[in-house]
């Protein structure tokens, strides 16, 4: 029995007259996970004052379990969900998931259970991929189509992903709901203008090759050869950390590049506010929190135009776009900002305004409130 692995959190409305209950799926609320961050934001928003929000824990993040316990959880969790729904009688189940095969086979069972229990289902995909990315064979694609059509609403992060879902099947009830952040502490914080000092570069995220980390280091080697001064701080951990350290040593960048390990809360906010440029030439994305947090702090993104990033920032207005897997392009964008501090300041201010207008937790709560009401 693994019922103790389920974390059940109830966020009750201040208005006792409401009766609508919503179950939010996510990993542990204490886990280092983008989906957990998203769920915590909803639980702490005005949405929790309009609806009774309950948490059903899924996924491996935040758990300490071996293979046997993981298998037991996979087998028993649909039964646990059925019991949870029978006990709490929610009207809506809100599945937060990614567009990958492992999650699909788990979530299709959850959707069947939720529909059999009479619940409306919102499927929110935290991914930059479309449905056809998942399978090539006709039977899994048929099941995926049924899964999406059985959802009362499919929420996606970017206009590109919305287009891919509509191309897959125009009957899918898909809506655009970009990520958001609790940006008050960043937007309201004063920011020092760096007019003359070496450019302060930063990366925050998982240390994996697909984030473009190796292209970043190659770009910095080019800048060092040109005698353009900079410092680069990297916050995070991941599978390619050892290879990254080796590459930094190979290019002789130990004095310029510092690996800080994972940072959270005030320490991460301070890093954003003390940095000038986020270097983020990722190979693929949904809508990364790093972009939103950096812009809220006035830290200018140098990023690839992948996933939902082009929805948030326009080239030359809120940040600079670089070519995919191209260290020369990355070096060129950093050089441009290092040599034109007036442009750096202008883009910094425009980015903060963009987040304040479009990507706050209040906006996210309002959007999901509308979605919940519409599917009822």
């Amino acid at each position: 029995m693994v019922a103790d692995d389920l974390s059940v959190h109830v966020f009750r409305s201040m208005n006792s007259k409401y009766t609508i209950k919503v179950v939010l799926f996510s990993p542990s609320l204490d886990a280092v996970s983008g989906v957990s961050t998203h769920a915590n934001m909803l639980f702490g928003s005005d949405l929790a004052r309009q609806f009774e929000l309950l948490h059903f824990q899924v996924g491996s993040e935040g758990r300490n379990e071996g293979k046997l316990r993981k298998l037991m959880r996979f087998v028993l969790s649909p039964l646990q969900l059925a019991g949870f729904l029978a006990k709490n009688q929610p009207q809506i189940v809100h599945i937060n998931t990614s567009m990958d095969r492992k999650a699909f086979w788990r979530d299709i069972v959850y959707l069947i259970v939720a529909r059999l229990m009479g619940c409306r289902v919102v499927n929110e995909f935290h991914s930059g991929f479309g449905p056809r990315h998942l399978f090539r064979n006709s039977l899994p694609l048929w099941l995926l189509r049924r899964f999406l059509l059985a959802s009362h609403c499919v929420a996606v992060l970017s206009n590109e992903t919305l287009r891919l879902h509509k191309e897959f099947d125009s009957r899918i009830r898909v809506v655009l709901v970009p990520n958001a952040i609790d940006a008050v502490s960043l937007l309201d914080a004063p920011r020092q203008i760096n007019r003359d000092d070496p450019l302060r570069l930063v990366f925050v995220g998982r240390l994996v090759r697909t984030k473009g980390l190796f292209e970043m280091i190659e770009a910095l080697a080019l800048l060092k050869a040109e005698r353009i001064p900079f410092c680069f701080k990297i916050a995070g951990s991941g599978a390619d950390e050892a290879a990254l350290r080796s590459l930094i040593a190979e290019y002789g960048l130990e004095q310029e590049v510092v690996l800080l390990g994972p940072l959270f809360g005030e320490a991460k906010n301070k890093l954003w506010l003390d940095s000038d440029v986020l270097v983020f030439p990722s190979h693929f994305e949904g809508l990364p929190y790093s972009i939103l947090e950096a812009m809220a702090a006035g830290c200018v993104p140098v990023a690839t135009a992948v996933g939902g990033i082009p929805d948030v920032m326009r080239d030359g207005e809120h940040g600079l776009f670089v070519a995919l897997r191209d260290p020369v392009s990355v070096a060129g964008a950093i050089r441009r900002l290092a040599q034109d501090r007036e442009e750096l300041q202008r883009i910094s201010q425009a980015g903060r305004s963009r987040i304040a207008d479009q990507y706050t937790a209040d906006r996210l709560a309002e959007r999901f409130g509308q979605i919940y009401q519409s599917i009822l």
Side-chain angles (χ1 to χ4, degrees):
M1 185 68 176
V2 291
D4 57 325
D5 280 344
L6 290 176
S7 112
V8 179
H9 296 264
V10 181
F11 295 77
R12 297 190 181 280
S13 166
M14 298 300 292
N15 180 0
S16 61
K17 294 181 180 179
Y18 81 95
T19 58
I20 299 173
K21 295 181 181 180
V22 180
V23 178
L24 285 176
F25 286 29
S26 83
S28 167
L29 297 178
D30 298 323
V32 181
S33 159
V35 177
S36 297
T37 299
H38 178 75
N40 275 310
M41 195 181 314
L42 293 178
F43 286 137
S45 72
D46 283 344
L47 196 68
R49 286 172 280 280
Q50 302 171 44
F51 304 88
E52 183 174 342
L53 303 185
L54 302 96
H55 180 239
F56 185 83
Q57 184 177 340
V58 299
S60 58
E61 294 95 337
R63 301 182 193 265
N64 183 16
E65 60 185 7
K67 292 182 178 180
L68 179 59
R69 192 169 181 82
K70 185 179 292 186
L71 177 62
M72 290 175 60
R73 173 169 55 81
F74 184 80
V75 171
L76 294 177
S77 61
L79 298 176
Q80 292 172 333
L81 175 61
F84 184 85
L85 298 179
K87 177 182 177 181
N88 291 284
Q89 296 293 306
Q91 288 87 351
I92 298 172
V93 165
H94 181 158
I95 301 174
N96 286 285
T97 188
S98 56
M99 185 63 76
D100 65 59
R101 294 180 183 181
K102 182 180 177 181
F104 169 73
W105 294 117
R106 177 197 68 198
D107 294 337
I108 194 170
V109 177
Y110 287 158
L111 180 138
I112 292 170
V113 171
R115 291 298 306 264
L116 288 174
M117 300 293 289
C119 299
R120 302 280 177 168
V121 177
V122 174
N123 255 309
E124 184 179 5
F125 288 106
H126 298 263
S127 165
F129 297 120
R132 292 192 183 278
H133 165 82
L134 203 57
F135 298 113
R136 295 185 183 277
N137 297 328
S138 57
L139 179 58
L141 278 174
W142 180 84
L143 288 171
L144 176 58
R145 178 174 281 104
R146 300 313 307 168
F147 172 72
L148 294 171
L149 290 173
S151 305
H152 295 87
C153 178
V154 174
V156 297
L157 296 177
S158 70
N159 279 300
E160 174 64 11
T161 315
L162 186 145
R163 180 186 67 79
L164 291 172
H165 278 77
K166 284 296 186 183
E167 285 184 355
F168 181 65
D169 195 313
S170 61
R171 296 171 296 171
I172 299 171
R173 288 158 289 192
V174 58
V175 297
L176 176 64
V177 186
N179 276 340
I181 57 171
D182 187 2
V184 175
S185 58
L186 290 172
L187 289 170
D188 292 347
R191 181 174 184 84
Q192 184 179 0
I193 300 171
N194 181 5
R195 297 191 183 279
D196 303 305
D197 292 337
L199 208 61
R200 303 167 299 184
L201 311 175
V202 68
F203 171 84
V204 177
R206 291 184 297 118
L207 305 189
V208 293
R209 189 176 296 271
T210 54
K211 293 295 182 182
L213 283 162
F214 292 79
E215 294 93 320
M216 294 181 209
I217 300 305
E218 292 176 29
L220 297 183
L222 296 173
L223 295 173
K224 184 174 182 178
E226 297 176 28
R227 299 185 182 278
I228 295 176
F230 62 87
C231 63
F232 185 32
K233 294 182 178 180
I234 299 175
S237 60
D240 292 327
E241 181 173 346
L244 180 65
R245 289 183 182 274
S246 296
L247 190 64
I248 291 168
E250 179 183 335
Y251 282 111
L253 292 169
E254 296 96 326
Q255 297 301 312
E256 291 84 3
V257 181
V258 179
L259 275 72
L260 303 173
L263 294 181
F264 307 97
E266 290 302 317
K268 184 170 70 167
N269 285 353
K270 185 176 186 304
L271 178 63
W272 286 129
L273 292 164
D274 289 344
S275 302
D276 301 309
V277 175
L278 164 66
V279 189
F280 202 83
S282 185
H283 300 174
F284 54 84
E285 290 292 334
L287 179 51
Y289 287 105
S290 290
I291 293 287
L292 303 180
E293 291 173 356
M295 290 172 62
C299 182
V300 175
V302 168
T304 42
V306 296
I309 297 176
D311 293 345
V312 181
M313 56 177 268
R314 288 188 283 272
D315 189 36
E317 184 174 350
H318 311 107
L320 298 180
F321 283 130
V322 294
L324 192 65
R325 297 181 176 89
D326 189 344
V328 174
S329 179
V330 175
I334 296 172
R335 183 191 307 110
R336 171 177 165 180
L337 295 172
Q339 295 175 347
D340 190 344
R341 300 302 173 94
E342 293 301 320
E343 181 178 39
L344 179 71
Q345 182 182 356
R346 174 183 61 77
I347 295 176
S348 170
Q349 293 171 343
R352 295 187 104 175
S353 297
R354 176 73 167 160
I355 298 302
D357 290 342
Q358 299 291 333
Y359 295 94
T360 63
D362 288 343
R363 190 275 310 160
L364 187 71
E366 179 182 6
R367 187 71 179 108
F368 276 115
Q370 293 169 348
I371 289 171
Y372 292 166
Q373 294 288 357
S374 69
I375 65 173
L376 291 172

